[in-house]
Amino acid sequence: MRLSRIRGLFYAIWFLLSVAFVVFLMWAMTKHIHTIRRVWAKFQRFFAGYELEIIGEIADVNMIIINHKSMLDIIVMEEIYPKNLCWVAKKEIGDIPIIGKILKIPKMIPIDRQSPRAMVNLIKEAKDRVQNGRVIAIFPEGTRARGNRLLKFQSGAKVVAQKLNLSIQPVVIIGSEILDVKKFSFKKGKIKIVFLPVVDKSDEAWFENSRKLMQETLDFYR
C-alpha cells in the first residue's frame, strides 16, 4: 500500500505538470491540438507504467458510450482512439485553474447539471462537434462507479443520440481503477479496452440493452 501511494504522489505531481505543459502547447499550436493530446496520453502511460490491451474493432461512429472507473478512462481513450474525441464533462472541471483549460481549449462540452437548459445546450454543442468531424465521448453513468456494477445510465446520451441520429459504439474499460485518486494510490497493471458492436437503434430498448451488454462484458473479463 505504501508503494502504491508513493507512486500515486509522483503521478499526481507529474500529471499536474504535464497538464500545464500540454495546455500551453494547445494554446500555442491550435492547429495540432488533437495530436498534442494523443502524444500527451502516450506519455502518461510511459511514465505510469501500465499496459493496454485492445479487444474488438473501433467502428466508424459519431458517439461512444463508456463505463467510468477513474481518470485513466479518458487518458487511455485519448491515446488509442484515432478520431478527435469530444468529451462531455461536468462544468466544475472546466472551472479548475489551469486544469480546466484542458476542456476549454480543445472545445469539449461542459455540462451544468443545475441548469434547466443543460440538455438543450448539450444537444446544440454535440451537433456542432459532430458536424466538425468529432466523435462525442460520454459516460452514461454520469459519475465514477465503485465496485463491479455499472450505475444506472442517465438519459443524456440516449436523448442526444436520438435527437441527432448518431451512430453509437459501447466501450468497456476494465482495470483503470489501478489509479485511485481518493486513496491517492497508483498500482501497476493492465487496462483492457473492449470495443463492442455498433448499437442497433431500431430496437427501442437499445439503451437499456447496451447497459446490459456492457455489464456482461465487464463481468466476463473480471
Side-chain angles (χ1 to χ4, degrees), residues 84-199:
N84 189 355
L85 293 173
C86 175
W87 292 93
V88 177
K90 295 183 293 185
K91 175 181 176 291
E92 291 78 6
I93 296 176
D95 295 334
I96 301 172
I98 302 177
I99 292 178
K101 297 294 184 182
I102 208 167
L103 295 183
K104 294 179 181 179
I105 294 177
K107 295 184 178 179
M108 305 305 182
I109 303 177
I111 295 296
D112 182 358
R113 296 178 178 178
Q114 306 304 316
S115 171
R117 291 187 55 82
M119 185 57 67
V120 173
N121 292 334
L122 174 56
I123 293 171
K124 178 183 176 181
E125 295 295 324
K127 181 178 181 180
D128 172 78
R129 304 303 188 274
V130 171
Q131 288 177 342
N132 283 280
R134 299 183 66 177
V135 175
I136 305 301
I138 190 167
F139 298 117
E141 295 169 282
T143 189
R144 297 174 190 173
R146 293 285 179 180
N148 298 328
R149 303 300 301 175
L150 294 177
L151 301 177
K152 178 182 178 181
F153 280 8
Q154 304 301 308
S155 62
K158 181 179 181 180
V159 172
V160 171
Q162 294 187 161
K163 287 286 186 181
L164 301 180
N165 193 28
L166 303 181
S167 51
I168 309 151
Q169 182 173 32
V171 181
V172 178
I173 299 178
I174 300 112
S176 62
E177 63 271 24
I178 57 174
L179 172 62
D180 190 325
V181 175
K182 289 187 177 181
K183 292 183 179 179
F184 227 76
S185 69
F186 202 150
K187 304 173 184 177
K188 287 188 176 182
K190 177 183 286 187
I191 300 173
K192 295 183 175 70
I193 306 98
V194 185
F195 290 89
L196 298 174
V198 174
V199 170

Side-chain angles (χ1 to χ4, degrees), residues 18 24 46 54 62 69 90 93 99 126 177 201 217 219:
S18 68
F24 170 75
F46 175 80
I54 301 172
N62 307 121
K69 298 290 285 185
K90 295 183 293 185
I93 296 176
I99 292 178
E177 63 271 24
K201 287 187 13 226
T217 304
D219 294 340

Side-chain angles (χ1 to χ4, degrees), residues 7 36 87 120 187 203 216 222:
R7 285 172 54 83
I36 291 168
W87 292 93
V120 173
K187 304 173 184 177
D203 180 358
E216 290 173 350
R222 282 293 177 185

